[in-house]
Amino acid sequence: MADLSSLKDLAPAQESAPVHVRKVDALGRSYATGKRKNAVARVWVKPGSGKIIINGKEFNAYFARPVLQMILRQPIVAAARDGQIDIVATVAGGGLSGQAGAVRHGISKALTYFEPGLRSVLKKGGFLTRDSRVVERKKYGKAKARRSFQFSKR
């Protein structure tokens, strides 16, 4: 380049879209980790009859509340794979609500590894985004994270 006028001849480098490759182990399973609050879920997805096992129990026995069962099944219903895949998950930490969110996140990620074509559907539904909200830490001089002690004039 001799001067600045030769810059207009340079074409901007076109970035290629990231290629999502199928990630499957020797047993035909895809693995992903899902997180929500303090809960961490390890999820394996494989073709099957639609059984969902969480920590060795059926998912409707582990998550008794219908709302948590609905949260868990959202990515499967959105991907239209109900009754076609088996899911095995182990989840630890947090409470039941956080654990259900963690398993949902893990199922979504594992589905994209198992079948990369489902990524656009799951991303549009917001299932691949990790919900980063966690409990705020307690500060000194406060009763909780922000709550002050009760004020007394006397």
Side-chain angles (χ1 to χ4, degrees):
M1 260 194 310
D3 56 359
L4 293 176
S5 62
S6 60
L7 280 177
K8 67 180 178 185
D9 299 333
L10 293 175
Q14 293 291 327
E15 291 184 21
S16 61
V19 179
H20 298 288
V21 184
R22 188 168 193 248
K23 297 178 188 171
V24 181
D25 65 2
L27 299 174
R29 305 176 302 182
S30 288
Y31 168 79
T33 306
K35 295 183 179 181
R36 169 81 168 91
K37 292 187 177 179
N38 281 333
V40 180
R42 301 182 307 161
V43 180
W44 289 268
V45 169
K46 65 179 181 178
S49 60
K51 285 173 47 175
I52 303 174
I53 307 293
I54 296 164
N55 288 353
K57 295 182 180 179
E58 286 285 331
F59 84 102
N60 46 15
Y62 191 84
F63 295 115
R65 295 198 341 238
V67 174
L68 299 179
Q69 295 174 15
M70 185 256 319
I71 286 172
L72 197 79
R73 294 172 47 80
Q74 278 177 334
I76 303 164
V77 173
R81 295 295 179 267
D82 204 11
Q84 299 175 19
I85 54 170
D86 286 348
I87 297 167
V88 178
T90 59
V91 62
L96 283 178
S97 174
Q99 287 186 352
V103 173
R104 178 179 88 162
H105 186 227
I107 289 171
S108 305
K109 283 173 62 176
L111 275 174
T112 59
Y113 296 149
F114 188 74
E115 210 173 319
L118 296 175
R119 184 173 170 82
S120 61
V121 174
L122 294 172
K123 191 150 180 72
K124 201 172 287 179
F127 302 122
L128 295 176
T129 306
R130 199 271 202 223
D131 191 350
S132 60
R133 295 176 296 168
V134 291
V135 177
E136 190 175 344
R137 78 171 192 86
K138 183 194 177 304
K139 279 73 165 195
Y140 56 87
K142 298 279 187 180
K144 290 165 52 175
R146 298 186 180 193
R147 191 197 186 294
S148 299
F149 294 109
Q150 184 173 342
F151 175 74
S152 173
K153 194 177 249 185
R154 292 177 189 74

